[in-house]
Amino acid sequence: MAMQITDASFKDLLSGDLPLVVDFWAEWCGPCKMIAPLVDELATEYEGKIVIGKVNVDESEDLPAEYGIRNIPTLLFFKNGELVDKHVGGTTKAVLEEKIKALL
């Protein structure tokens, strides 16, 4: 299951040894609810190889502003602390998995 990421915990995760995928979402967002199970499945499948977490844009204001998140769901893909890929909107598990494999 994807971990909850806050403004405070993000910096530690970003500087960690593993690649990081961050899903920006909100409770009221229909497309966010559609991809949430996919994100959770991938977090379980890639546990120990990559960190996958979620940022609730209604509870965390700094990160969405810092990364210019204007639409949700938005997934950001980080490797070695650098933003290397981005996906906006709904998608399939296969598309997300391809982006995750590119981080490994």
Side-chain angles (χ1 to χ4, degrees), residues 18-19 46 48-51 79 97-104:
L18 298 176
Y46 286 88
K49 297 178 185 173
I50 194 165
V51 175
K79 185 170 185 173
E97 193 162 24
E98 185 177 310
K99 290 177 177 287
I100 287 170
K101 286 180 180 177
L103 295 175
L104 301 175

Side-chain angles (χ1 to χ4, degrees), residues 7-88:
D7 290 336
S9 67
F10 176 74
K11 298 289 186 211
D12 289 335
L13 293 170
L14 190 61
S15 63
D17 295 334
L18 298 176
L20 174 64
V21 177
V22 182
D23 174 16
F24 290 86
W25 70 286
E27 195 68 45
W28 47 265
C29 169
C32 297
K33 290 179 182 179
M34 290 174 59
I35 70 162
L38 307 178
V39 171
D40 286 338
E41 283 177 35
L42 290 165
T44 300
E45 291 172 19
Y46 286 88
E47 188 173 351
K49 297 178 185 173
I50 194 165
V51 175
I52 300 178
K54 300 167 89 57
V55 173
N56 185 327
V57 298
D58 290 334
E59 296 173 1
S60 180
E61 297 178 5
D62 293 342
L63 284 175
E66 182 177 342
Y67 288 98
I69 305 300
R70 292 186 176 26
N71 299 305
I72 54 174
T74 293
L75 288 94
L76 300 182
F77 299 80
F78 296 90
K79 185 170 185 173
N80 299 322
E82 299 293 322
L83 179 62
V84 295
D85 202 354
K86 177 180 183 176
H87 183 87
V88 180

